[in-house]
Amino acid sequence: MKRTLVVTALLAASLVACQANPVSGRNQLVLVSEEQAQASSVQAYAQTLSEARKQGKLSTDAALNGRVKRITDRLIVQAGNMYAPSRQWKWSVAVIDEPTLNAWCMPGGKMAIYTGIVEKLKLTDDEIAQIMGHEIAHALLGHGRERMSRAMAMQGGMTLGSILAGRDLSVLAPVADVALTLPNNRENESEADRYGIELAARAGYNPRAAISLWEKMGTASGNNAPTFLSTHPAPGNRIQALNAQVPRMMPLYEKAR
Ligand SMILES: [Zn+2]
């Protein structure tokens, strides 16, 4: 009986909580407001950085930090044109000294890239721009909120009730943790690819780098795809889809250069 009630509550909530995303126009399940998502990312980001610092894994390489900052600064300007509210975001980027092939951008613009992906793939600036453009696109497209909403739906009515009733962020903190470890689905990945290559082109970064990036990623991961890639579209399909975007992106890139 209780279970039925919870399911009914979840269904009702998801009916009222379906919103068209302002950037993509796609309907999303949204049980978390943008403010809530950003507040929980601020917590998760501070925690991630302080743990990295304690372990001596927060990169102090000034050249690399400067390079990443220069690239993301240009992307952030374009993010503001794609989604005006992001101009108010408190953007931040960290370089984490770990050998993993990873990068991310949380809701509200808290970003990180790992030295592993830069060094192992010998990334060019254009390729770093493609990675960070893709990650920023996830944030602009509200994918983090979508994941938090899914995590919340998984955790059931207990969390949901308090979310709907109040704005108890202590409840949201574990949800943010779950959301960070939940993979994006393929639809979201393709969407982030599409908008990410455009952000990078408008910021003056070569769209062809999206192809070389995923080729390198495919070679590096071989049959043992890192977790970062496991839910991402198969490299072949992804490269094909990105290739199809290149002709439309080249004029944006030429104009921005
Ligand atoms: Zn992604």
Side-chain angles (χ1 to χ4, degrees):
M1 187 62 188
K2 254 194 183 145
R3 185 168 292 233
T4 318
L5 278 175
V6 168
V7 171
T8 311
L10 277 171
L11 274 175
S14 60
L15 286 177
V16 294
C18 239
Q19 288 173 13
N21 179 272
V23 178
S24 65
R26 182 169 61 78
N27 270 319
Q28 291 174 311
L29 168 69
V30 176
L31 302 174
V32 187
S33 73
E34 188 153 328
E35 293 71 29
Q36 288 170 328
Q38 288 183 20
S40 49
S41 321
V42 166
Q43 280 184 10
Y45 191 65
Q47 203 180 331
T48 306
L49 259 52
S50 98
E51 272 165 28
R53 195 175 292 115
K54 256 186 256 162
Q55 296 167 3
K57 287 182 174 171
L58 205 55
S59 169
T60 51
D61 179 338
L64 180 57
N65 274 276
R67 185 180 168 210
V68 167
K69 176 86 167 51
R70 268 194 307 280
I71 296 168
T72 51
D73 277 351
R74 279 165 62 176
L75 293 168
I76 289 166
V77 172
Q78 297 309 318
N81 295 336
M82 196 175 267
Y83 181 54
S86 74
R87 293 189 186 127
Q88 314 305 324
W89 290 3
K90 294 186 173 57
W91 293 88
S92 174
V93 64
V95 178
I96 298 179
D97 202 357
E98 268 182 42
T100 46
L101 302 182
N102 203 2
W104 39 259
C105 178
M106 293 180 187
K110 304 296 188 199
M111 302 175 277
I113 186 165
Y114 292 68
T115 50
I117 200 166
V118 179
E119 286 162 10
K120 283 186 193 159
L121 303 189
K122 298 190 170 55
L123 296 178
T124 64
D125 283 10
D126 290 298
E127 289 163 346
I128 291 179
Q130 296 298 332
I131 292 179
M132 297 318 286
H134 171 98
E135 298 305 328
I136 289 170
H138 275 308
L140 299 180
L141 292 159
H143 293 166
R145 286 170 73 194
E146 220 175 353
R147 279 189 302 169
M148 285 182 190
S149 302
R150 273 200 285 149
M152 206 171 281
M154 275 164 36
Q155 286 189 358
M158 180 193 72
T159 319
L160 182 77
S162 37
I163 298 304
L164 292 178
R167 283 158 208 281
D168 186 356
L169 290 176
S170 62
V171 173
L172 269 174
V175 174
D177 288 345
V178 175
L180 280 175
T181 54
L182 268 186
N184 277 296
N185 61 29
R186 286 188 180 206
E187 186 187 18
N188 286 3
E189 286 307 327
S190 305
E191 211 171 69
D193 274 354
R194 223 165 42 243
Y195 286 87
I197 195 175
E198 183 172 337
L199 274 177
R202 289 183 186 277
Y205 292 104
N206 195 334
R208 293 202 181 92
I211 318 299
S212 60
L213 166 69
W214 290 107
E215 280 170 355
K216 284 181 181 180
M217 206 85 96
T219 310
S221 55
N223 291 328
N224 302 312
T227 48
F228 174 59
L229 295 174
S230 58
T231 57
H232 285 58
N237 299 344
R238 165 167 245 160
I239 287 170
Q240 220 171 19
L242 283 164
N243 240 326
Q245 300 282 317
V246 170
R248 201 168 58 83
M249 292 301 136
M250 285 312 279
L252 299 177
Y253 165 55
E254 297 294 351
K255 202 176 143 208
R257 279 176 86 192

